[in-house]
């Protein structure tokens, strides 16, 4: 069983940056696809990007393209989401997921509890 814990969320002003971390336990992430999603109130869960054993794939969605990057540190069993030039519309709960493939949330078996990101204008 994979346990995921997100950290790094908080309140930031528009234009600022945050780095979220997702640390896994119970299983090595070396051969796992790890993904980030976010969900704002009243909206569907949105794919933000993923990290595979061979490469990182930030989302190409206009909402995050060019501002969000993903990386992983296998030695720390941790995946990161670096968010730059944050906008108020980035406000959401950010979730880490593992054990799935691609950008579809229903395909991921393991989820963290989420971390709140709030961007003030």
């Amino acid at each position: 069983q994979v346990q995921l814990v997100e950290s790094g969320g908080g309140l930031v002003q528009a234009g600022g940056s945050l780095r979220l971390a997702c640390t896994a336990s119970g299983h090595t992430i070396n051969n796992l696809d790890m993904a980030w999603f976010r969900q704002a109130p009243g909206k569907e869960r949105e794919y933000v990007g993923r990290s595979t054993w061979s490469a990182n794939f930030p989302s190409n969605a206009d909402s995050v393209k060019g501002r969000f990057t993903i990386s992983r540190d296998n030695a720390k069993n941790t995946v990161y989401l670096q968010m730059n030039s944050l906008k108020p519309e980035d406000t959401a709960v950010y979730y880490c997921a593992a054990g799935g493939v691609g950008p579809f949330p229903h395909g991921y078996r393991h989820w963290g509890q989420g971390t709140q990101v709030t961007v003030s204008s």
Side-chain angles (χ1 to χ4, degrees):
Q1 185 73 7
V2 181
Q3 290 84 41
L4 304 172
V5 177
E6 301 97 335
S7 61
L11 175 64
V12 63
Q13 288 188 333
S17 298
L18 280 176
R19 188 177 77 157
L20 306 183
C22 172
T23 300
S25 60
H27 194 286
T28 178
I29 69 169
N30 293 16
N31 58 352
L32 282 180
D33 282 15
M34 305 288 293
W36 286 98
F37 294 87
R38 68 183 183 182
Q39 190 164 20
K43 295 188 176 182
E44 293 186 353
R45 194 159 292 192
E46 179 185 10
Y47 169 73
V48 174
R50 73 189 187 278
S51 173
T52 73
W53 66 273
S54 61
N56 299 306
F57 301 93
S59 171
N60 286 322
D62 289 340
S63 57
V64 302
K65 187 176 182 179
R67 300 187 298 120
F68 289 12
T69 57
I70 293 176
S71 62
R72 67 163 60 193
D73 186 336
N74 286 337
K76 295 183 177 180
N77 231 31
T78 298
V79 175
Y80 301 97
L81 176 65
Q82 177 69 43
M83 305 184 294
N84 298 324
S85 303
L86 284 162
K87 306 174 182 179
E89 50 265 43
D90 294 319
T91 295
V93 178
Y94 284 71
Y95 296 93
C96 175
V101 177
F104 309 106
H106 65 267
Y108 286 82
R109 290 173 289 171
H110 309 288
W111 291 83
Q113 82 287 352
T115 185
Q116 176 71 46
V117 171
T118 303
V119 184
S120 63
S121 58

